[in-house]
Amino acid sequence: MFEIPAVHAAMFVGAVGALVPMWRAHGTDCRVQIAHGAMALSMVAMMIPGVPAGIHLLEGAVLIGLAVFVTGETMHRRTAIPCAVDLTAMGVLLLLAPMSATTPAASAASAPTPSGHHHGGAGISTGWLPLVVLVCWALSTLYLFRSTPRRERRSGVKTAAAGSALMILGMAPMAA
Protein backbone atom coordinates (compact mmCIF):
# COMPACT_ATOMS: atom_id res chain seq x y z
CA MET A 1 0.00 0.00 0.00
CA PHE A 2 2.81 2.43 0.90
CA GLU A 3 6.47 2.21 -0.07
CA ILE A 4 8.09 5.05 1.90
CA PRO A 5 10.49 3.99 4.71
CA ALA A 6 9.06 6.45 7.25
CA VAL A 7 5.57 5.16 6.54
CA HIS A 8 6.80 1.58 6.97
CA ALA A 9 8.28 2.57 10.32
CA ALA A 10 4.99 4.11 11.43
CA MET A 11 3.09 1.00 10.36
CA PHE A 12 5.57 -1.20 12.21
CA VAL A 13 4.94 0.90 15.32
CA GLY A 14 1.22 0.33 14.72
CA ALA A 15 1.73 -3.42 14.46
CA VAL A 16 3.64 -3.38 17.73
CA GLY A 17 0.83 -1.29 19.21
CA ALA A 18 -1.66 -3.96 18.20
CA LEU A 19 0.40 -6.56 20.05
CA VAL A 20 1.05 -4.48 23.20
CA PRO A 21 -2.28 -5.35 24.89
CA MET A 22 -1.55 -9.05 24.35
CA TRP A 23 1.53 -8.82 26.58
CA ARG A 24 -0.70 -8.14 29.57
CA ALA A 25 -3.53 -10.39 28.46
CA HIS A 26 -3.64 -12.64 31.52
CA GLY A 27 -7.24 -11.68 32.34
CA THR A 28 -8.43 -10.99 28.82
CA ASP A 29 -10.85 -13.06 26.80
CA CYS A 30 -9.42 -14.92 23.82
CA ARG A 31 -11.71 -12.86 21.55
CA VAL A 32 -9.72 -9.75 22.36
CA GLN A 33 -6.45 -11.59 21.78
CA ILE A 34 -7.66 -12.84 18.38
CA ALA A 35 -8.73 -9.32 17.46
CA HIS A 36 -5.37 -7.80 18.41
CA GLY A 37 -3.59 -10.48 16.40
CA ALA A 38 -5.77 -9.63 13.38
CA MET A 39 -4.96 -5.93 13.74
CA ALA A 40 -1.25 -6.70 13.86
CA LEU A 41 -1.51 -8.89 10.75
CA SER A 42 -3.43 -6.15 8.98
CA MET A 43 -0.72 -3.62 9.79
CA VAL A 44 1.97 -5.99 8.48
CA ALA A 45 -0.06 -6.63 5.31
CA MET A 46 -0.10 -2.88 4.63
CA MET A 47 3.69 -2.90 4.52
CA ILE A 48 3.82 -5.54 1.77
CA PRO A 49 4.28 -3.86 -1.62
CA GLY A 50 2.02 -4.81 -4.51
CA VAL A 51 -0.92 -6.09 -2.49
CA PRO A 52 -4.16 -5.44 -4.39
CA ALA A 53 -6.55 -2.87 -2.92
CA GLY A 54 -9.24 -5.57 -2.68
CA ILE A 55 -7.24 -7.31 0.04
CA HIS A 56 -7.31 -4.16 2.17
CA LEU A 57 -11.07 -3.87 1.63
CA LEU A 58 -11.43 -7.45 2.83
CA GLU A 59 -9.21 -6.70 5.85
CA GLY A 60 -11.39 -3.70 6.70
CA ALA A 61 -14.56 -5.79 6.55
CA VAL A 62 -12.99 -8.54 8.68
CA LEU A 63 -11.84 -6.02 11.30
CA ILE A 64 -15.31 -4.51 11.55
CA GLY A 65 -16.76 -8.01 11.85
CA LEU A 66 -14.27 -8.74 14.63
CA ALA A 67 -15.48 -5.61 16.45
CA VAL A 68 -18.92 -7.18 16.63
CA PHE A 69 -17.35 -10.49 17.70
CA VAL A 70 -15.35 -8.84 20.50
CA THR A 71 -18.33 -6.99 21.93
CA GLY A 72 -20.21 -10.26 22.29
CA GLU A 73 -18.15 -11.01 25.41
CA THR A 74 -19.70 -9.44 28.49
CA MET A 75 -17.12 -10.48 31.09
CA HIS A 76 -14.29 -8.18 30.06
CA ARG A 77 -15.94 -4.90 29.03
CA ARG A 78 -12.91 -2.81 30.07
CA THR A 79 -10.81 -4.50 27.39
CA ALA A 80 -13.50 -5.37 24.84
CA ILE A 81 -14.82 -1.85 24.26
CA PRO A 82 -11.43 -0.19 23.57
CA CYS A 83 -10.56 -3.15 21.34
CA ALA A 84 -13.83 -2.75 19.42
CA VAL A 85 -13.11 0.96 18.96
CA ASP A 86 -9.65 0.13 17.58
CA LEU A 87 -11.06 -2.54 15.27
CA THR A 88 -13.82 -0.32 13.95
CA ALA A 89 -11.59 2.69 13.32
CA MET A 90 -8.90 0.63 11.63
CA GLY A 91 -11.50 -1.20 9.55
CA VAL A 92 -13.13 2.03 8.41
CA LEU A 93 -9.74 3.50 7.50
CA LEU A 94 -8.95 0.41 5.43
CA LEU A 95 -12.32 0.62 3.69
CA LEU A 96 -11.71 4.30 2.91
CA ALA A 97 -8.12 3.78 1.71
CA PRO A 98 -8.92 2.91 -1.92
CA MET A 99 -11.36 5.84 -2.13
CA SER A 100 -8.90 8.35 -0.68
CA ALA A 101 -6.04 7.30 -2.95
CA THR A 102 -6.23 9.46 -6.05
CA THR A 103 -5.24 8.17 -9.43
CA PRO A 104 -4.06 10.48 -12.21
CA ALA A 105 -7.15 9.68 -14.32
CA ALA A 106 -9.55 10.34 -11.44
CA SER A 107 -7.90 13.60 -10.50
CA ALA A 108 -7.94 14.74 -14.13
CA ALA A 109 -11.62 13.84 -14.48
CA SER A 110 -12.58 15.91 -11.46
CA ALA A 111 -10.31 18.85 -12.22
CA PRO A 112 -12.04 22.21 -12.16
CA THR A 113 -12.96 23.62 -15.51
CA PRO A 114 -12.26 27.25 -16.37
CA SER A 115 -15.80 28.13 -15.27
CA GLY A 116 -14.90 26.96 -11.77
CA HIS A 117 -17.04 23.86 -11.29
CA HIS A 118 -16.09 20.18 -11.11
CA HIS A 119 -16.97 17.36 -13.49
CA GLY A 120 -16.89 13.61 -12.99
CA GLY A 121 -18.49 13.24 -9.57
CA ALA A 122 -20.81 14.59 -6.97
CA GLY A 123 -18.35 17.31 -6.08
CA ILE A 124 -17.78 15.91 -2.58
CA SER A 125 -14.22 15.05 -1.68
CA THR A 126 -13.64 12.17 0.75
CA GLY A 127 -10.00 13.15 1.27
CA TRP A 128 -10.80 14.60 4.71
CA LEU A 129 -12.83 11.60 5.89
CA PRO A 130 -9.84 9.41 6.95
CA LEU A 131 -8.51 12.33 9.00
CA VAL A 132 -11.89 12.69 10.73
CA VAL A 133 -11.89 8.94 11.53
CA LEU A 134 -8.36 9.18 12.92
CA VAL A 135 -9.21 12.17 15.13
CA CYS A 136 -12.41 10.50 16.38
CA TRP A 137 -10.41 7.35 17.14
CA ALA A 138 -7.88 9.34 19.17
CA LEU A 139 -10.60 11.21 21.06
CA SER A 140 -12.50 7.98 21.78
CA THR A 141 -9.36 6.33 23.10
CA LEU A 142 -8.63 9.29 25.33
CA TYR A 143 -12.24 9.37 26.57
CA LEU A 144 -12.26 5.63 27.36
CA PHE A 145 -9.02 5.97 29.30
CA ARG A 146 -10.05 9.10 31.19
CA SER A 147 -13.55 7.77 31.98
CA THR A 148 -12.08 4.79 33.79
CA PRO A 149 -11.92 5.59 37.51
CA ARG A 150 -8.36 5.96 38.79
CA ARG A 151 -8.74 3.05 41.18
CA GLU A 152 -9.67 0.81 38.23
CA ARG A 153 -6.85 1.98 35.92
CA ARG A 154 -4.81 -1.10 36.30
CA SER A 155 -2.01 -1.92 33.94
CA GLY A 156 -4.46 -3.52 31.48
CA VAL A 157 -6.33 -0.27 30.86
CA LYS A 158 -3.07 1.67 30.58
CA THR A 159 -1.60 -0.96 28.26
CA ALA A 160 -4.70 -0.92 26.04
CA ALA A 161 -4.56 2.89 25.80
CA ALA A 162 -0.85 2.80 24.95
CA GLY A 163 -1.48 0.16 22.29
CA SER A 164 -4.29 2.23 20.81
CA ALA A 165 -2.05 5.30 20.70
CA LEU A 166 0.62 3.34 18.84
CA MET A 167 -1.96 1.98 16.38
CA ILE A 168 -3.28 5.50 15.76
CA LEU A 169 0.28 6.60 15.00
CA GLY A 170 0.67 3.60 12.68
CA MET A 171 -2.52 4.40 10.79
CA ALA A 172 -1.73 8.13 10.46
CA PRO A 173 -0.26 7.63 6.94
CA MET A 174 -3.71 6.44 5.83
CA ALA A 175 -5.13 9.88 6.64
CA ALA A 176 -2.39 11.80 4.87
Side-chain angles (χ1 to χ4, degrees), residues 2-13 47 173:
F2 297 99
E3 298 178 11
I4 302 169
V7 173
H8 279 271
M11 289 185 181
F12 179 76
V13 167
M47 292 187 286

Side-chain angles (χ1 to χ4, degrees), residues 109-110 118-124:
S110 64
H118 298 275
H119 288 281
I124 299 172

Side-chain angles (χ1 to χ4, degrees), residues 162-176:
S164 294
L166 291 173
M167 285 187 284
I168 291 166
L169 178 65
M171 292 298 284
M174 300 283 290

